[in-house]
Amino acid sequence: MRNRYLDLLRAVATVRVVIYHITGWAAFTVVLPAMSVMFALAGSLMAASLDRFGVWAVERRIRRLLPSLWVLASIAVAVMLATGTSSRSTMLLLWGFPIDTPEATGWWVQGLSHTWYLRDFLWLVLLSPLVLPVYRRFPLATILTPYLALIVITLAGLTVPPVAQSLALYGGAWLLGFAHHDGHLERLGRRRLLGIAAAITVPAFAWIATHPGPRGWDLNDIPLGNALWSAAFILVVLGCIRPVISGSRVLTVLNARALTIYLWHVPVVVAVTQFGERHGLPIIGWVGIGWRLTVVAILLAGLVIVFGWIEDVAAGRPPVLLPGRRIPIPVSPAPAGPREPEPAVSLR
């Protein structure tokens, strides 16, 4: 049975990411550490898939992740090649399977800056069949490992590859998703979880207050504070809050199209903002934010209609223009054999 509360968390996190990239307001990263929440939700779903399908869960997750990326990447790579990027660059091939940061040049450096998430998501999916059994044997030690690694990296001032940095930053959230799926958070009880969350919050905000980034309290610039505060937040929202949420059309659309929204919102935000700058339109303030938010929402809605059905095909669902209404659109070839749909890939 689908957990609508998890759907609600994913939908709110997705919307928060879009609004943050339009406004740049650092407060959003504190009020809702959306990326860590998305990784925690994905970790819970990955553990459920591994229990149900075994190692084949990796193939299912990758199959759901890559097709939507390939569409955006094929457009971006074609434009990059047409504007002078060398066709001999092997780093462009990583757009097919981004286990490292693929190459982006020109306008696309900004337009594809958010695809780090798919790189890290892919690594966590690949590692999950190995990590889940270890977690179930040594749960506390396993959860603490990425946090301890991040503490060492931060305090020692180490320079590590971006993938290793991200796994240390978001791996703990993914493992807390394992704990949510296995019922470990629920068995700890609300009082104990709130006590642990409060104990983590104190050093989290002590570090944030004493180590602000170039944008102040924007947690994207403060990895250790981000990880600690996110852990406390996840313990509360996944362990202490268990409301009954009824389904809605908006919730259905946001979850079934979360990956499409995530992939396309940054190119749209960058394009709309640069258009405003070139034409002397206000960018900041309520007027600047208001018109950009409206235009981005309209363009994203159009892109969801144009490209969103790819998520249906990747998940083995009949493709529809908008989820919630059974209006199939022709796609050939059709998926071979019936496949049971899975929850949408969670998505900065």
Side-chain angles (χ1 to χ4, degrees):
M1 184 175 181
R2 194 174 182 94
N3 189 329
R4 287 293 177 182
Y5 174 56
L6 300 188
D7 287 348
L8 177 64
L9 286 177
R10 184 187 299 109
V12 172
T14 302
V15 173
R16 198 287 274 163
V17 168
V18 176
I19 295 177
Y20 166 77
H21 283 141
I22 294 173
T23 64
W25 290 342
F28 279 124
T29 66
V30 178
V31 173
L32 175 56
M35 299 312 299
S36 293
V37 170
M38 291 185 197
F39 278 113
L41 295 174
S44 180
L45 294 173
M46 187 65 198
S49 293
L50 285 168
D51 284 343
R52 187 173 184 183
F53 303 108
V55 71
W56 287 106
V58 173
E59 182 273 336
R60 294 171 70 91
R61 290 290 164 180
I62 292 175
R63 171 168 51 82
R64 298 198 55 176
L65 178 71
L66 293 181
S68 294
L69 172 64
W70 288 339
V71 172
L72 173 59
S74 63
I75 296 172
V77 169
V79 174
M80 284 189 279
L81 291 174
T83 54
T85 302
S86 173
S87 59
R88 297 180 180 179
S89 174
T90 56
M91 296 298 288
L92 288 175
L93 298 176
L94 286 171
W95 288 113
F97 200 78
I99 56 173
D100 199 358
T101 305
E103 181 177 0
T105 59
W107 184 88
W108 292 101
V109 172
Q110 276 188 287
L112 296 174
S113 60
H114 61 312
T115 52
W116 64 268
Y117 170 79
L118 281 78
R119 176 201 65 199
D120 298 345
F121 187 96
L122 180 60
W123 270 107
L124 288 167
V125 167
L126 292 172
L127 291 171
S128 285
L130 301 175
V131 175
L132 183 59
V134 176
Y135 164 77
R136 286 175 172 167
R137 187 172 178 84
F138 309 105
L140 181 59
T142 307
I143 287 178
L144 289 177
T145 297
Y147 294 104
L148 293 175
L150 184 60
I151 290 172
V152 171
I153 291 170
T154 302
L155 297 183
L158 301 178
T159 300
V160 298
V163 171
Q165 174 81 18
S166 292
L167 291 180
L169 173 55
Y170 294 111
W174 189 273
L175 293 170
L176 288 174
F178 284 2
H180 170 263
H181 167 71
D182 283 9
H184 293 164
L185 299 184
E186 185 175 359
R187 286 196 289 274
L188 282 173
R190 285 187 175 90
R191 182 173 298 180
R192 189 175 298 177
L193 283 174
L194 287 173
I196 296 171
I200 297 173
T201 297
V202 173
F205 278 97
W207 184 266
I208 293 167
T210 56
H211 296 80
R215 294 176 289 184
W217 278 32
D218 191 314
L219 296 191
N220 294 312
D221 303 325
I222 316 171
L224 182 56
N226 187 356
L228 293 176
W229 166 236
S230 296
F233 190 93
I234 290 166
L235 289 176
V236 173
V237 298
L238 288 186
C240 299
I241 303 174
R242 292 183 288 273
V244 177
I245 304 294
S246 58
S248 72
R249 182 74 186 282
V250 173
L251 203 57
T252 298
V253 171
L254 286 175
N255 276 271
R257 298 295 182 257
L259 182 56
T260 302
I261 293 170
Y262 182 82
L263 283 172
W264 285 97
H265 84 277
V266 169
V268 170
V269 170
V270 172
V272 169
T273 301
Q274 291 183 354
F275 175 87
E277 290 172 341
R278 284 196 301 269
H279 291 82
L281 300 176
I283 300 299
I284 60 176
W286 289 108
V287 174
I289 291 173
W291 79 261
R292 288 191 299 129
L293 186 61
T294 302
V295 174
V296 167
I298 293 171
L299 293 177
L300 265 183
L303 289 168
V304 164
I305 292 174
V306 173
F307 296 113
W309 58 269
I310 297 170
E311 292 194 63
D312 294 329
V313 175
R317 300 187 296 257
V320 295
L321 292 178
L322 280 179
R325 293 179 61 192
R326 307 307 298 173
I327 306 178
I329 58 178
V331 176
S332 181
R339 289 177 179 150
E340 191 168 332
E342 300 174 19
V345 173
S346 63
L347 297 178
R348 217 188 262 229

